Structure formats: structure tokens, C-alpha cells
Amino acid sequence: MDRRRLLQGAAAATTAGVLLPAARAQAAFADTDHPSAHWTPASTANYTASSRPSTFPVQYVVIHVTQETFDSTIGIFQNPAKQVSAHYVVRSADGHVAQCVRERNIAWHAGNWDYNTRSVGIEHEGWIDRPSYFTHALYEQSAALTASVCDRYGIPKDRAHIIGHNEVPGATHTDPGPLWDWVLYIRLVNFA
């Protein structure tokens, strides 16, 4: 191999190394159902593969509060021993949206198999008794996400179809809790 070909190969490899991270960043967004979400996959052991809405109709959005930090929640969803996931997690400080499970698949979030099959679960970073986590950025970005889900599946943008985890039949959880501002949230969903 002559020196010129060796240098051309090295240049091509360097260029590929520079371009690959950008291509991966594009793919991180291209693999999501919501355009501004970042793909942060849950362990495949923590959800059920499906082909919704052909296998099950999507009729609800279930609102959760993590009782954990954003990063801890992602770690839990990525741990195959935890047996839990949600489709999305919204960060408190800036409203960043991570998608952990594709909407066609069944996330294990509601504690009720029937509701898992017919809903999209959205976790919100924070604690139910610490309203400082419920920032305007979190509400705005989550509402835009919920509006987008509702539009995709023809879900009415009302409290009968956008429900708290505590409203799922048989629920043992209390989230999103009494400090979640449902009036503001539903207004934002309808104006998103």
C-alpha cells in the first residue's frame, strides 16, 4: 500500500469518526414517537413488545410522578430486574423529554394490565409533596407531549382520558398527588 492510499484511508476514518456522533444524535431523535423526545431506551425486560394501536387501542394518557430524580428513573427503567417502565420521562428543571418505550409497545407503568395495554405513560421527575418540582417548563413540555399523543390516537383532551396514576382502577399509588395542577395542565394540553 502506498503512502497516499494510507493517508486517504486515515482521513476517511477520521472523517467518519467526526460524523458518526452527529449521525447518532440525529438517530436519537429519529427513533422517537414525539419529535422533541430523546431516545433513552428501557430494558426490553421491562415492557411488552406489541403493535399498538392495531393490537390494542390507545385510549388514555396516564400521568405519573417518579418519586425519584430524572436520572434515577432512567436507571430504574434500564435495569431488567426492576420490571417497570413508562413511555416517557419529563425532567423538572427544563422539561427535557426522554422516550424510554416506543408507543407501539406496552410499558409497565399503571399497575393494571388492561390500562397498560390502552395507555401511554408519562413520568414526571419529582415528589408528590414537593411542588417546586412541578415547574412551568415541566408542565409545558409534558402538555405538548400529551397533546401530541392525544392527536396521534384521537384521544379526547379531557380529564376522563388524561388521568393520574391514582385514578387507574386498583391503583396503589397516589401520584401525581394533590399538588399537581390539573386545571393548568389540561389548559396547556388544549392550547399546545
Side-chain angles (χ1 to χ4, degrees):
M1 177 182 275
D2 67 21
R3 183 169 188 236
R4 180 179 170 135
R5 285 201 175 145
L6 182 63
L7 290 173
Q8 286 174 334
T14 301
T15 302
V18 170
L19 294 177
L20 283 177
R24 278 191 215 117
Q26 288 284 357
F29 288 93
D31 288 341
T32 62
D33 296 302
H34 183 65
S36 65
H38 185 265
W39 182 239
T40 312
S43 168
T44 57
N46 292 341
Y47 63 88
T48 301
S50 189
S51 57
R52 298 182 323 160
S54 62
T55 52
F56 299 98
V58 179
Q59 301 169 312
Y60 300 99
V61 175
V62 179
I63 302 300
H64 302 267
V65 172
T66 62
Q67 298 296 106
E68 295 283 346
T69 65
F70 179 88
D71 290 337
S72 292
T73 301
I74 298 295
I76 289 166
F77 292 171
Q78 292 177 338
N79 180 342
K82 295 296 185 176
Q83 302 288 290
V84 67
S85 63
H87 294 92
Y88 297 96
V89 182
V90 182
R91 189 165 52 207
S92 172
D94 57 4
H96 172 79
V97 176
Q99 183 169 2
C100 302
V101 176
R102 292 297 300 266
E103 291 174 11
R104 71 176 171 255
N105 295 321
I106 302 165
W108 301 343
H109 62 94
N112 175 314
W113 178 249
D114 182 49
Y115 273 74
N116 281 344
T117 64
R118 298 186 296 130
S119 66
V120 169
I122 304 175
E123 287 279 2
H124 298 83
E125 178 184 29
W127 284 261
I128 63 170
D129 59 348
R130 297 184 202 168
S132 60
Y133 276 90
F134 305 153
T135 64
H136 196 66
L138 176 134
Y139 278 124
E140 278 188 334
Q141 293 306 309
S142 175
L145 169 60
T146 294
S148 176
V149 170
C150 289
D151 290 344
R152 272 194 293 287
Y153 299 104
I155 301 170
K157 297 175 183 175
D158 60 29
R159 285 286 287 121
H161 296 88
I162 302 168
I163 63 173
H165 189 186
N166 61 308
E167 297 170 299
V168 172
T172 59
H173 290 249
T174 59
D175 59 303
L179 302 177
W180 181 263
D181 190 339
W182 280 110
V183 172
L184 171 64
Y185 190 71
I186 296 298
R187 186 177 329 129
L188 290 170
V189 169
N190 280 282
F191 289 113

